[in-house]
Amino acid sequence: MTTPATPDINALARLAAQAQADLSRIGETGTDWVPEAEGIEHNVVVVGAGQSGLAAAFGLRRAGIGRVSLVDAAPAGQEGIWRGPARMTILRTPKVPPGPELGLPSLSFQAWYEAAYGVEAYAALPTVPREIWADYVAWFRSASAVEVRDGVTLTRVEPQEGRREEGGLRLHFTAEGKTFTETTRKLVLATGIAGSGGPFIPDVVADLPGKLFAHTHAFDPKALAGRRVAILGSAASAFDAAGALLEAGAGAVDLFSRGADLARGSAMKPFGFFGAWEHFHALPDADRWAVMAHFRRRASFPPPAAVKRAVAHANFRIHLDAGWRAVEPHGDGVRITLNSGAVFDADFILLGTGYQADARLYPPFADFAPAIARWSDKVAVEPEDAALASAPYLGPAFELVETEKGAAPFLADIHFLAFSAMTSTGRPVGDIASLRHNIPRAVAAIGRDLFVADRAKHLARFLAPVGTDDLPHDLYAGAIDAGDTLAAAE
């Protein structure tokens, strides 16, 4: 796909100004209605400043919830996946559904692209290049005036004792080699795969020296130029990695799939309608579990564009019905023994094996990890579904739930918008299409919780004596009949 011309910076500046004017016109100026709580610095801390975290912070401000702090461990410009782990050349959604703009057209991708490159250019755009989307997300951050504290890593979460009524979490951070703590009433995790335990490393390669393998989540294609790479896995990330390696000059890339053929259809296609995205979470547990287990038991579907990208190279091969029985160092590389007994040698292994789904593995939750309910605590689980069942069982507002009622009530103040929330919601959480559904639901619930927790303060405000300043007596005094008893009394 041809790279667009240089964007029109002046047009983008005008569009950003229009967005702020639009917010003012609809009365969403961010006026804070939440009373301050003694000993609490933030109403909400959002961890993760990718598209999901940015949308969450933007939505909270639009809802009039002030003192929201957004932090990210990455340096400025490297938040999220689009300039890092993502290896696709184009997005997997055509022309992009509504995203982080949350219903404000002047902050949409279409408005941005038309301002940057022209209306005709957008009309001719068949799919969205990944780096163009990254540029848009960076502009959205600036145009929406969402502030981010970069280079700040959350290391520990603990409840503040004696603050259950109004909420209170103590958060431990590191930044620039220093440690510090801050307090918040609510915590939103928009951390992607990091919040779910990170990449899945299968046992067959777990004992290999680290220099001989990597996960598709973190590798440098250029560092593998000229080498023979074996990829385990046949879903989207495996093919994206293969394409990136081949374009960077890999000597050969061999992709290994356990199945007798690639998955050639998406098991989740029937899920693709508004009602499912919006209301799946309201189904009974048994229904949700049956659907998610059904999805997981079917191999993930590699997008045609990703497959086409890889197979365009003569030095790429797909090996079907080729599960791995053993892997061991061999010379300067590795020797792979397949289930069939066949042997294959490579210089390096890349794992397209997906990600763990267990929120209990997130290091900042270590103090209370066993208290976090998982799906295995709620439904009967077949052995083949054990990995899926390790996902956190979330409430309707993405809040963590206790395994034992009353043992860890503060979990309700942690809203989990990370990767493994999908088991509770039915769709990947944090991807573009999820934002219009998930963010408003989470924002509304956070606002409700804060409002109810402060009910005494709000009741005092509602029931305070009514003043007389709104209607000056002089405004109507001259019209009062001189014989009126009420006027005489005054």
Side-chain angles (χ1 to χ4, degrees), residues 203-472:
D203 291 341
V204 71
V205 300
D207 293 332
L208 274 182
K211 66 180 181 179
L212 295 178
F213 76 96
H215 193 275
T216 55
H217 180 66
F219 75 102
D220 180 4
K222 294 180 181 178
L224 296 169
R227 304 180 72 186
R228 182 162 202 156
V229 181
I231 299 178
L232 179 60
S234 57
S237 62
F239 275 94
D240 286 338
L245 285 166
L246 292 159
E247 290 164 1
V253 175
D254 294 81
L255 184 146
F256 293 81
S257 172
R258 289 178 299 175
D261 195 0
L262 300 178
R264 295 169 61 190
S266 172
M268 296 192 71
K269 185 179 290 186
F271 202 98
F273 61 98
F274 193 98
W277 291 335
E278 192 76 13
H279 305 299
F280 180 84
H281 72 278
L283 291 176
D285 289 352
D287 292 351
R288 288 190 289 166
W289 178 251
V291 170
M292 296 311 297
H294 170 79
F295 287 164
R296 191 181 186 282
R297 291 170 188 171
R298 281 143 186 84
S300 184
F301 165 67
V307 176
K308 183 179 179 180
R309 178 188 180 193
V311 301
H313 296 264
N315 53 342
F316 174 68
R317 287 290 180 271
I318 299 170
H319 303 264
L320 298 174
D321 196 16
W324 292 5
R325 180 197 302 169
V327 179
E328 59 185 353
H330 180 71
D332 293 331
V334 294
R335 171 158 289 177
I336 301 163
T337 303
L338 306 184
N339 290 336
S340 65
V343 173
F344 182 88
D345 291 340
D347 298 319
F348 193 81
I349 287 173
L350 201 58
L351 302 174
T353 49
Y355 304 95
Q356 299 184 93
D358 193 348
R360 293 186 181 184
L361 299 178
Y362 184 48
F365 290 167
D367 288 355
F368 51 83
I372 300 172
R374 299 185 289 192
W375 272 91
S376 57
D377 299 314
K378 303 294 181 178
V379 296
V381 178
E382 298 294 333
E384 63 182 312
D385 300 321
L388 181 68
S390 68
Y393 177 90
L394 303 178
F398 304 91
E399 73 273 24
L400 296 178
V401 173
E402 308 162 283
T403 51
E404 181 181 347
K405 188 172 177 58
F410 63 90
L411 291 180
D413 291 325
I414 301 175
H415 299 262
F416 191 84
L417 290 169
F419 165 73
S420 59
M422 177 178 175
T423 308
S424 294
T425 64
R427 288 287 292 180
V429 174
D431 72 354
I432 298 167
S434 76
L435 300 179
R436 71 178 296 184
H437 305 281
N438 295 344
I439 299 301
R441 178 151 54 96
V443 166
I446 289 170
R448 178 201 62 215
D449 289 352
L450 293 172
F451 180 84
V452 172
D454 289 330
R455 62 190 180 279
K457 295 176 183 178
H458 291 305
L459 284 171
R461 182 179 179 182
F462 299 152
L463 300 176
V466 177
T468 59
D469 295 339
D470 295 334
L471 180 61

